[in-house]
Amino acid sequence: MSAGSTVHTPIEVPLARSPYQVIVGPGLIRDCGARIAEILKPSRCALVTDSNVGPLHAEAVEASLRQAGFEPIRITVPAGESSKSFEQAAKICDAMIAAGLDRSSMLVALGGGVVGDLAGFAAAIYYRGIPCIQIPTTIVAQVDSSVGGKTGINAPGGKNLIGAFHQPRLVIADTDTLRTLPPREFHEGFAEIIKHAAIRDPQMLAADDSLDNIAPLIARNVAIKAAIVAEDEFETKGLRALLNFGHTIGHGIENAAGYGRLLHGEAISLGLVAACRLSVEKSGLPQAAADQILAALARHHLPQILPDNISTDSILAALRKDKKFHAGAIRFVLLRALGDAFVSDSVTAVDIEQAIEALR
Ligand code: NAD
Ligand code: GLY
Protein backbone atom coordinates (compact mmCIF):
# COMPACT_ATOMS: atom_id res chain seq x y z
CA MET A 1 0.00 0.00 0.00
CA SER A 2 1.34 3.48 -0.76
CA ALA A 3 2.75 5.49 2.10
CA GLY A 4 1.00 8.59 3.27
CA SER A 5 -2.63 7.70 2.55
CA THR A 6 -4.81 7.96 5.64
CA VAL A 7 -7.01 4.91 5.66
CA HIS A 8 -9.60 4.82 8.35
CA THR A 9 -10.34 1.55 10.04
CA PRO A 10 -12.31 -0.53 7.54
CA ILE A 11 -16.00 -0.67 8.26
CA GLU A 12 -17.35 -4.19 8.38
CA VAL A 13 -20.66 -5.08 6.79
CA PRO A 14 -21.19 -8.25 8.83
CA LEU A 15 -23.67 -10.17 6.70
CA ALA A 16 -23.97 -13.87 7.52
CA ARG A 17 -23.62 -15.10 3.93
CA SER A 18 -21.49 -12.39 2.37
CA PRO A 19 -19.61 -10.17 4.83
CA TYR A 20 -17.37 -7.48 3.34
CA GLN A 21 -15.44 -4.35 4.18
CA VAL A 22 -15.78 -0.72 3.19
CA ILE A 23 -12.46 1.14 3.12
CA VAL A 24 -12.61 4.94 3.29
CA GLY A 25 -9.76 7.40 2.83
CA PRO A 26 -7.82 9.57 0.39
CA GLY A 27 -5.68 8.09 -2.38
CA LEU A 28 -7.12 4.58 -2.21
CA ILE A 29 -7.55 3.97 -5.93
CA ARG A 30 -3.78 3.99 -6.41
CA ASP A 31 -3.68 0.71 -4.46
CA CYS A 32 -7.05 -0.72 -5.39
CA GLY A 33 -5.60 -3.64 -7.41
CA ALA A 34 -3.55 -4.92 -4.48
CA ARG A 35 -6.51 -4.58 -2.12
CA ILE A 36 -8.78 -6.48 -4.50
CA ALA A 37 -6.10 -9.16 -5.02
CA GLU A 38 -6.22 -9.81 -1.26
CA ILE A 39 -9.71 -11.26 -1.69
CA LEU A 40 -10.02 -12.28 -5.37
CA LYS A 41 -7.68 -14.21 -7.63
CA PRO A 42 -6.38 -11.98 -10.44
CA SER A 43 -8.39 -12.53 -13.62
CA ARG A 44 -9.73 -10.78 -16.64
CA CYS A 45 -12.21 -8.23 -15.40
CA ALA A 46 -14.55 -5.46 -16.45
CA LEU A 47 -14.08 -1.88 -15.31
CA VAL A 48 -17.44 -0.16 -15.78
CA THR A 49 -17.49 3.62 -15.58
CA ASP A 50 -19.30 6.57 -17.14
CA SER A 51 -18.33 9.20 -19.67
CA ASN A 52 -17.48 11.78 -16.96
CA VAL A 53 -15.65 9.60 -14.46
CA GLY A 54 -13.74 7.44 -16.95
CA PRO A 55 -11.48 10.21 -18.28
CA LEU A 56 -10.77 11.41 -14.73
CA HIS A 57 -10.13 8.26 -12.73
CA ALA A 58 -10.19 5.07 -14.83
CA GLU A 59 -6.53 5.09 -15.84
CA ALA A 60 -5.37 5.09 -12.23
CA VAL A 61 -7.68 2.18 -11.45
CA GLU A 62 -6.58 0.23 -14.54
CA ALA A 63 -2.89 0.78 -13.77
CA SER A 64 -3.34 -0.52 -10.24
CA LEU A 65 -5.39 -3.49 -11.43
CA ARG A 66 -2.72 -4.42 -14.00
CA GLN A 67 0.03 -4.10 -11.44
CA ALA A 68 -1.82 -6.63 -9.29
CA GLY A 69 -2.21 -9.07 -12.20
CA PHE A 70 -5.76 -8.28 -13.34
CA GLU A 71 -6.53 -7.72 -17.03
CA PRO A 72 -9.22 -5.05 -17.17
CA ILE A 73 -11.40 -4.12 -20.13
CA ARG A 74 -13.01 -0.71 -19.82
CA ILE A 75 -16.75 -0.33 -20.49
CA THR A 76 -18.03 3.25 -20.54
CA VAL A 77 -21.70 4.18 -20.32
CA PRO A 78 -23.11 7.67 -20.92
CA ALA A 79 -23.18 9.72 -17.70
CA GLY A 80 -26.61 10.28 -16.21
CA GLU A 81 -29.64 8.60 -14.71
CA SER A 82 -31.01 7.48 -18.09
CA SER A 83 -28.17 4.93 -18.27
CA LYS A 84 -29.92 2.90 -15.56
CA SER A 85 -31.67 1.00 -18.35
CA PHE A 86 -31.97 -2.50 -19.82
CA GLU A 87 -30.20 -1.19 -22.90
CA GLN A 88 -27.06 -0.23 -20.97
CA ALA A 89 -27.16 -3.36 -18.80
CA ALA A 90 -27.30 -5.44 -22.00
CA LYS A 91 -24.41 -3.48 -23.53
CA ILE A 92 -22.26 -4.19 -20.47
CA CYS A 93 -23.10 -7.90 -20.60
CA ASP A 94 -22.46 -8.03 -24.36
CA ALA A 95 -19.07 -6.34 -23.92
CA MET A 96 -18.14 -8.85 -21.21
CA ILE A 97 -19.19 -11.77 -23.45
CA ALA A 98 -17.19 -10.32 -26.36
CA ALA A 99 -14.13 -10.04 -24.10
CA GLY A 100 -14.48 -13.65 -22.99
CA LEU A 101 -15.22 -12.89 -19.35
CA ASP A 102 -16.74 -15.82 -17.50
CA ARG A 103 -17.79 -16.78 -13.98
CA SER A 104 -14.19 -16.55 -12.77
CA SER A 105 -14.10 -12.87 -13.77
CA MET A 106 -15.10 -9.88 -11.70
CA LEU A 107 -16.55 -6.45 -12.35
CA VAL A 108 -15.36 -3.17 -10.88
CA ALA A 109 -17.91 -0.32 -10.79
CA LEU A 110 -16.18 3.06 -10.84
CA GLY A 111 -18.52 6.02 -10.58
CA GLY A 112 -21.53 7.48 -8.83
CA GLY A 113 -24.75 5.77 -7.84
CA VAL A 114 -25.81 5.37 -11.45
CA VAL A 115 -22.74 3.32 -12.38
CA GLY A 116 -22.85 1.43 -9.08
CA ASP A 117 -26.51 0.45 -9.46
CA LEU A 118 -26.23 -0.39 -13.18
CA ALA A 119 -22.89 -2.23 -13.09
CA GLY A 120 -23.87 -3.98 -9.85
CA PHE A 121 -27.00 -5.21 -11.65
CA ALA A 122 -24.93 -6.43 -14.60
CA ALA A 123 -22.65 -8.29 -12.15
CA ALA A 124 -25.73 -9.82 -10.49
CA ILE A 125 -27.08 -11.29 -13.73
CA TYR A 126 -23.86 -12.11 -15.64
CA TYR A 127 -23.25 -15.87 -15.37
CA ARG A 128 -25.95 -15.69 -12.62
CA GLY A 129 -23.66 -13.50 -10.55
CA ILE A 130 -19.97 -12.57 -10.62
CA PRO A 131 -18.07 -10.72 -7.88
CA CYS A 132 -18.50 -6.95 -7.90
CA ILE A 133 -16.15 -4.36 -6.41
CA GLN A 134 -17.61 -0.92 -5.85
CA ILE A 135 -15.35 2.14 -6.20
CA PRO A 136 -17.82 4.97 -5.54
CA THR A 137 -16.86 8.47 -6.68
CA THR A 138 -19.76 10.65 -5.49
CA ILE A 139 -20.90 11.39 -1.98
CA VAL A 140 -24.24 9.67 -2.63
CA ALA A 141 -22.39 6.57 -3.76
CA GLN A 142 -19.81 6.61 -0.94
CA VAL A 143 -22.30 7.07 1.91
CA ASP A 144 -25.21 5.12 0.52
CA SER A 145 -25.54 3.34 -2.80
CA SER A 146 -22.27 1.36 -2.87
CA VAL A 147 -23.08 -0.29 0.47
CA GLY A 148 -25.94 -2.72 0.96
CA GLY A 149 -26.23 -4.61 -2.30
CA LYS A 150 -29.25 -2.93 -3.86
CA THR A 151 -28.57 -2.88 -7.58
CA GLY A 152 -30.92 -2.08 -10.40
CA ILE A 153 -32.24 -0.07 -13.28
CA ASN A 154 -35.25 2.14 -13.91
CA ALA A 155 -38.38 1.30 -15.89
CA PRO A 156 -40.60 3.82 -17.68
CA GLY A 157 -43.04 3.28 -14.81
CA GLY A 158 -40.68 4.11 -11.98
CA LYS A 159 -37.24 4.22 -10.42
CA ASN A 160 -35.36 1.07 -9.45
CA LEU A 161 -38.30 -1.19 -10.32
CA ILE A 162 -36.01 -3.84 -11.80
CA GLY A 163 -33.06 -5.09 -9.80
CA ALA A 164 -31.38 -7.61 -7.59
CA PHE A 165 -29.69 -7.78 -4.23
CA HIS A 166 -26.02 -8.39 -5.04
CA GLN A 167 -23.61 -7.47 -2.28
CA PRO A 168 -20.20 -6.16 -3.35
CA ARG A 169 -17.13 -8.11 -2.27
CA LEU A 170 -15.33 -4.89 -1.29
CA VAL A 171 -16.07 -1.16 -1.35
CA ILE A 172 -13.18 1.26 -1.87
CA ALA A 173 -14.28 4.84 -1.16
CA ASP A 174 -11.40 7.08 -2.22
CA THR A 175 -12.31 10.52 -0.90
CA ASP A 176 -9.81 12.17 -3.28
CA THR A 177 -12.10 11.27 -6.18
CA LEU A 178 -14.67 13.71 -4.72
CA ARG A 179 -12.28 16.56 -5.58
CA THR A 180 -13.26 16.40 -9.24
CA LEU A 181 -17.01 16.63 -8.57
CA PRO A 182 -18.63 19.79 -9.94
CA PRO A 183 -20.13 21.93 -7.10
CA ARG A 184 -23.74 20.92 -7.84
CA GLU A 185 -22.88 17.22 -7.75
CA PHE A 186 -20.83 17.73 -4.58
CA HIS A 187 -23.70 19.40 -2.74
CA GLU A 188 -26.40 16.94 -3.86
CA GLY A 189 -24.64 14.20 -1.93
CA PHE A 190 -25.42 15.89 1.34
CA ALA A 191 -29.10 15.03 0.93
CA GLU A 192 -28.29 11.41 1.87
CA ILE A 193 -25.99 12.52 4.71
CA ILE A 194 -28.75 14.75 6.07
CA LYS A 195 -31.14 11.79 5.75
CA HIS A 196 -28.79 9.62 7.84
CA ALA A 197 -28.46 12.45 10.38
CA ALA A 198 -32.24 12.80 10.60
CA ILE A 199 -32.98 9.11 11.15
CA ARG A 200 -29.94 8.05 13.20
CA ASP A 201 -27.31 10.65 14.13
CA PRO A 202 -28.61 14.22 14.57
CA GLN A 203 -25.21 15.50 15.74
CA MET A 204 -24.03 14.97 12.20
CA LEU A 205 -26.15 17.93 11.12
CA ALA A 206 -23.34 20.08 12.57
CA ALA A 207 -20.36 17.90 11.53
CA ASP A 208 -17.32 19.24 9.68
CA ASP A 209 -18.25 18.79 6.03
CA SER A 210 -15.27 20.43 4.35
CA LEU A 211 -13.79 18.47 1.48
CA ASP A 212 -10.35 18.45 3.13
CA ASN A 213 -11.69 16.58 6.13
CA ILE A 214 -14.51 14.57 4.64
CA ALA A 215 -13.26 11.01 5.24
CA PRO A 216 -14.46 10.77 8.87
CA LEU A 217 -17.89 12.04 7.84
CA ILE A 218 -18.10 9.50 5.00
CA ALA A 219 -16.99 6.73 7.36
CA ARG A 220 -19.61 7.72 9.94
CA ASN A 221 -22.33 7.49 7.29
CA VAL A 222 -21.07 4.16 6.01
CA ALA A 223 -21.19 2.81 9.58
CA ILE A 224 -24.84 3.90 9.90
CA LYS A 225 -25.78 2.26 6.62
CA ALA A 226 -23.75 -0.89 7.36
CA ALA A 227 -25.43 -1.37 10.74
CA ILE A 228 -28.89 -1.07 9.23
CA VAL A 229 -28.09 -3.38 6.31
CA ALA A 230 -26.55 -5.94 8.67
CA GLU A 231 -29.78 -6.13 10.65
CA ASP A 232 -32.21 -6.07 7.75
CA GLU A 233 -30.38 -7.06 4.56
CA PHE A 234 -33.49 -7.68 2.46
CA GLU A 235 -35.69 -4.91 3.89
CA THR A 236 -38.12 -7.37 5.45
CA LYS A 237 -37.97 -6.20 9.07
CA GLY A 238 -38.98 -2.56 8.69
CA LEU A 239 -35.54 -1.28 9.67
CA ARG A 240 -33.91 -0.82 6.27
CA ALA A 241 -37.10 0.91 5.13
CA LEU A 242 -36.11 3.82 7.39
CA LEU A 243 -33.44 4.64 4.80
CA ASN A 244 -36.32 5.67 2.57
CA PHE A 245 -36.93 8.79 4.67
CA GLY A 246 -37.59 11.55 2.13
CA HIS A 247 -37.45 9.10 -0.77
CA THR A 248 -41.15 8.35 -1.38
CA ILE A 249 -42.03 11.85 -2.54
CA GLY A 250 -38.41 12.43 -3.64
CA HIS A 251 -38.48 9.53 -6.10
CA GLY A 252 -41.91 10.66 -7.32
CA ILE A 253 -40.49 14.12 -8.05
CA GLU A 254 -37.37 12.69 -9.70
CA ASN A 255 -39.49 10.50 -11.96
CA ALA A 256 -42.06 13.20 -12.76
CA ALA A 257 -39.32 15.73 -13.56
CA GLY A 258 -37.89 13.35 -16.14
CA TYR A 259 -34.56 11.78 -15.32
CA GLY A 260 -31.73 14.26 -15.60
CA ARG A 261 -33.57 17.50 -14.78
CA LEU A 262 -33.05 17.29 -11.06
CA LEU A 263 -30.08 15.46 -9.62
CA HIS A 264 -31.04 12.56 -7.36
CA GLY A 265 -30.01 14.43 -4.20
CA GLU A 266 -31.94 17.52 -5.27
CA ALA A 267 -35.15 15.50 -5.67
CA ILE A 268 -34.46 13.84 -2.31
CA SER A 269 -34.00 17.27 -0.73
CA LEU A 270 -37.55 18.16 -1.80
CA GLY A 271 -38.74 14.80 -0.50
CA LEU A 272 -37.03 15.48 2.85
CA VAL A 273 -38.77 18.87 3.14
CA ALA A 274 -42.14 17.21 2.51
CA ALA A 275 -41.38 14.36 4.94
CA CYS A 276 -40.38 16.86 7.64
CA ARG A 277 -43.66 18.73 7.18
CA LEU A 278 -45.64 15.48 7.41
CA SER A 279 -43.64 14.48 10.50
CA VAL A 280 -44.56 17.76 12.21
CA GLU A 281 -48.23 17.25 11.30
CA LYS A 282 -48.62 13.51 11.87
CA SER A 283 -46.04 12.36 14.41
CA GLY A 284 -45.27 15.37 16.57
CA LEU A 285 -41.79 16.26 15.28
CA PRO A 286 -41.06 19.64 16.87
CA GLN A 287 -40.92 22.40 14.25
CA ALA A 288 -37.51 23.45 15.63
CA ALA A 289 -36.15 19.98 14.82
CA ALA A 290 -37.58 20.13 11.29
CA ASP A 291 -35.99 23.57 10.92
CA GLN A 292 -32.57 22.08 11.75
CA ILE A 293 -32.94 19.70 8.82
CA LEU A 294 -34.12 22.48 6.50
CA ALA A 295 -31.16 24.65 7.57
CA ALA A 296 -28.71 21.84 6.75
CA LEU A 297 -30.30 21.44 3.29
CA ALA A 298 -30.04 25.21 2.76
CA ARG A 299 -26.34 25.20 3.75
CA HIS A 300 -25.75 22.78 0.90
CA HIS A 301 -27.76 24.80 -1.62
CA LEU A 302 -30.27 21.99 -1.92
CA PRO A 303 -33.72 22.96 -3.27
CA GLN A 304 -36.74 23.35 -1.01
CA ILE A 305 -39.10 24.81 -3.64
CA LEU A 306 -40.57 22.58 -6.35
CA PRO A 307 -40.04 23.83 -9.91
CA ASP A 308 -43.39 25.14 -11.28
CA ASN A 309 -43.36 22.95 -14.35
CA ILE A 310 -43.54 19.68 -12.39
CA SER A 311 -47.25 19.15 -11.76
CA THR A 312 -48.60 17.61 -8.59
CA ASP A 313 -50.63 15.16 -10.70
CA SER A 314 -47.53 13.87 -12.44
CA ILE A 315 -45.78 13.34 -9.09
CA LEU A 316 -48.83 11.52 -7.68
CA ALA A 317 -49.00 9.34 -10.80
CA ALA A 318 -45.32 8.42 -10.34
CA LEU A 319 -45.89 7.73 -6.64
CA ARG A 320 -48.65 5.24 -7.36
CA LYS A 321 -46.10 3.06 -9.16
CA ASP A 322 -43.55 3.29 -6.35
CA LYS A 323 -42.33 0.07 -4.74
CA LYS A 324 -42.96 1.65 -1.35
CA PHE A 325 -46.73 1.57 -1.97
CA HIS A 326 -47.50 -1.62 -0.12
CA ALA A 327 -50.60 -3.39 -1.50
CA GLY A 328 -52.03 -0.01 -2.44
CA ALA A 329 -51.38 1.50 1.01
CA ILE A 330 -48.61 3.99 1.68
CA ARG A 331 -45.79 3.05 4.03
CA PHE A 332 -44.27 6.41 4.78
CA VAL A 333 -41.22 7.08 6.93
CA LEU A 334 -41.80 9.79 9.53
CA LEU A 335 -39.78 11.23 12.41
CA ARG A 336 -41.04 11.56 15.98
CA ALA A 337 -37.85 13.37 16.90
CA LEU A 338 -34.42 13.82 15.35
CA GLY A 339 -32.86 10.33 15.29
CA ASP A 340 -36.21 8.60 15.91
CA ALA A 341 -37.72 7.42 12.60
CA PHE A 342 -40.49 4.91 12.06
CA VAL A 343 -42.66 3.53 9.25
CA SER A 344 -46.19 4.91 9.44
CA ASP A 345 -49.39 3.68 7.80
CA SER A 346 -51.25 6.84 8.75
CA VAL A 347 -50.16 9.06 5.89
CA THR A 348 -52.97 9.31 3.32
CA ALA A 349 -52.88 10.20 -0.36
CA VAL A 350 -54.49 13.53 0.57
CA ASP A 351 -51.72 14.23 3.12
CA ILE A 352 -49.14 13.54 0.43
CA GLU A 353 -50.86 15.78 -2.10
CA GLN A 354 -50.95 18.61 0.43
CA ALA A 355 -47.29 18.09 1.33
CA ILE A 356 -46.37 18.31 -2.37
CA GLU A 357 -48.46 21.49 -2.82
CA ALA A 358 -46.73 22.98 0.22
CA LEU A 359 -43.40 22.67 -1.65
CA ARG A 360 -44.55 25.37 -4.11
P1 NAD B 1 -24.52 9.89 -10.68
O1 NAD B 1 -23.93 8.56 -10.62
O2 NAD B 1 -25.36 10.24 -11.86
O3 NAD B 1 -23.36 10.98 -10.51
C1 NAD B 1 -23.69 12.36 -10.61
C2 NAD B 1 -22.85 13.02 -11.71
O4 NAD B 1 -21.51 13.16 -11.25
C3 NAD B 1 -22.77 12.24 -13.01
O5 NAD B 1 -22.76 13.17 -14.08
C4 NAD B 1 -21.39 11.56 -12.92
O6 NAD B 1 -20.85 11.31 -14.21
C5 NAD B 1 -20.61 12.59 -12.19
N1 NAD B 1 -19.50 12.10 -11.40
C6 NAD B 1 -19.47 11.03 -10.59
N2 NAD B 1 -18.34 10.98 -9.90
C7 NAD B 1 -17.58 12.03 -10.31
C8 NAD B 1 -16.31 12.53 -9.95
N3 NAD B 1 -15.60 11.96 -8.98
N4 NAD B 1 -15.85 13.63 -10.59
C9 NAD B 1 -16.60 14.24 -11.54
N5 NAD B 1 -17.84 13.84 -11.89
C10 NAD B 1 -18.32 12.75 -11.28
O7 NAD B 1 -25.44 10.18 -9.42
P2 NAD B 1 -25.32 9.88 -7.85
O8 NAD B 1 -25.96 11.02 -7.20
O9 NAD B 1 -23.96 9.46 -7.47
O10 NAD B 1 -26.25 8.60 -7.67
C11 NAD B 1 -27.64 8.66 -7.89
C12 NAD B 1 -28.14 7.28 -8.19
O11 NAD B 1 -27.88 6.45 -7.07
C13 NAD B 1 -29.63 7.23 -8.42
O12 NAD B 1 -29.90 6.42 -9.53
C14 NAD B 1 -30.18 6.59 -7.16
O13 NAD B 1 -31.37 5.88 -7.39
C15 NAD B 1 -29.04 5.69 -6.79
N6 NAD B 1 -29.01 5.32 -5.37
C16 NAD B 1 -28.99 4.00 -5.08
C17 NAD B 1 -28.93 3.59 -3.76
C18 NAD B 1 -28.81 2.12 -3.44
O14 NAD B 1 -28.95 1.74 -2.29
N7 NAD B 1 -28.51 1.28 -4.42
C19 NAD B 1 -28.92 4.53 -2.73
C20 NAD B 1 -28.95 5.89 -3.06
C21 NAD B 1 -29.00 6.27 -4.40
N1 GLY C 1 -30.75 3.43 -0.14
C1 GLY C 1 -31.72 2.65 0.52
C2 GLY C 1 -31.26 1.27 0.85
O1 GLY C 1 -30.14 0.91 0.54
O2 GLY C 1 -31.98 0.52 1.43
Side-chain angles (χ1 to χ4, degrees):
M1 307 297 140
S2 70
S5 59
T6 321
V7 182
H8 295 261
T9 311
I11 298 142
E12 307 288 334
V13 187
L15 299 172
R17 224 164 34 106
S18 51
Y20 57 97
Q21 290 189 329
V22 182
I23 320 170
V24 181
L28 292 176
I29 57 176
R30 289 196 300 268
D31 296 327
C32 66
R35 291 180 187 280
I36 298 167
E38 283 173 16
I39 56 166
L40 291 172
K41 217 166 91 200
S43 64
R44 268 178 296 175
C45 64
L47 173 63
V48 181
T49 188
D50 77 16
S51 50
N52 290 334
V53 180
L56 295 167
H57 301 294
E59 267 184 32
V61 172
E62 283 165 347
S64 178
L65 285 169
R66 284 201 197 95
Q67 208 176 8
F70 292 95
E71 295 169 53
I73 55 148
R74 192 189 304 186
I75 303 170
T76 304
V77 301
E81 184 71 29
S82 44
S83 278
K84 276 177 59 172
S85 65
F86 266 128
E87 189 195 346
Q88 292 302 330
K91 280 191 179 163
I92 293 170
C93 291
D94 286 345
M96 292 196 288
I97 292 167
L101 269 57
D102 61 21
R103 61 167 50 86
S104 67
S105 310
M106 60 133 185
L107 181 155
V108 178
L110 172 73
V114 164
V115 167
D117 282 11
L118 169 69
F121 180 60
I125 58 177
Y126 194 69
Y127 275 78
R128 299 194 185 90
I130 59 170
C132 177
I133 305 292
Q134 292 278 353
I135 305 186
T137 62
T138 63
I139 295 181
V140 172
Q142 294 195 352
V143 303
D144 192 348
S145 59
S146 63
V147 180
K150 280 190 183 176
T151 72
I153 56 176
N154 301 321
K159 260 187 79 72
N160 301 331
L161 292 185
I162 297 151
F165 282 100
H166 189 59
Q167 297 293 343
R169 295 291 296 275
L170 178 67
V171 181
I172 301 172
D174 180 341
T175 50
D176 277 345
T177 61
L178 305 175
R179 293 184 182 281
T180 56
L181 280 172
R184 190 176 164 200
E185 280 74 4
F186 179 72
H187 286 299
E188 68 139 344
F190 283 86
E192 303 289 4
I193 291 180
I194 293 165
K195 173 194 79 177
H196 283 157
I199 65 168
R200 270 286 186 274
D201 185 355
Q203 286 179 342
M204 213 161 54
L205 290 170
D208 179 357
D209 53 13
S210 62
L211 186 50
D212 285 336
N213 194 28
I214 204 161
L217 182 62
I218 301 284
R220 195 163 162 180
N221 278 272
V222 170
I224 290 173
K225 174 116 195 215
I228 291 177
V229 168
E231 267 192 62
D232 186 13
E233 180 177 0
F234 298 110
E235 203 169 315
T236 50
K237 300 178 187 165
L239 182 63
R240 187 161 181 171
L242 302 183
L243 293 169
N244 292 326
F245 182 60
H247 281 56
T248 303
I249 291 177
H251 278 168
I253 292 171
E254 193 178 1
N255 193 344
Y259 296 128
R261 281 202 26 223
L262 285 172
L263 295 176
H264 176 73
E266 294 170 342
I268 297 310
S269 173
L270 291 160
L272 288 169
V273 175
C276 282
R277 182 190 171 86
L278 286 165
S279 297
V280 171
E281 287 171 358
K282 309 285 286 188
S283 55
L285 178 71
Q287 184 62 50
D291 288 344
Q292 276 182 260
I293 296 174
L294 303 188
L297 294 172
R299 262 203 320 282
H300 287 284
H301 316 288
L302 286 162
Q304 301 191 20
I305 307 282
L306 191 59
D308 278 345
N309 49 5
I310 308 176
S311 74
T312 300
D313 279 350
S314 63
I315 299 169
L316 291 171
L319 273 166
R320 280 185 210 105
K321 295 172 190 152
D322 193 293
K323 288 193 262 74
K324 293 179 281 303
F325 273 57
H326 189 64
I330 303 161
R331 305 188 72 238
F332 202 94
V333 183
L334 294 178
L335 296 179
R336 295 186 196 90
L338 288 179
D340 180 9
F342 70 106
V343 179
S344 167
D345 289 326
S346 74
V347 176
T348 65
V350 173
D351 294 327
I352 289 187
E353 184 170 353
Q354 286 171 353
I356 295 169
E357 279 300 311
L359 291 172
R360 296 189 186 281

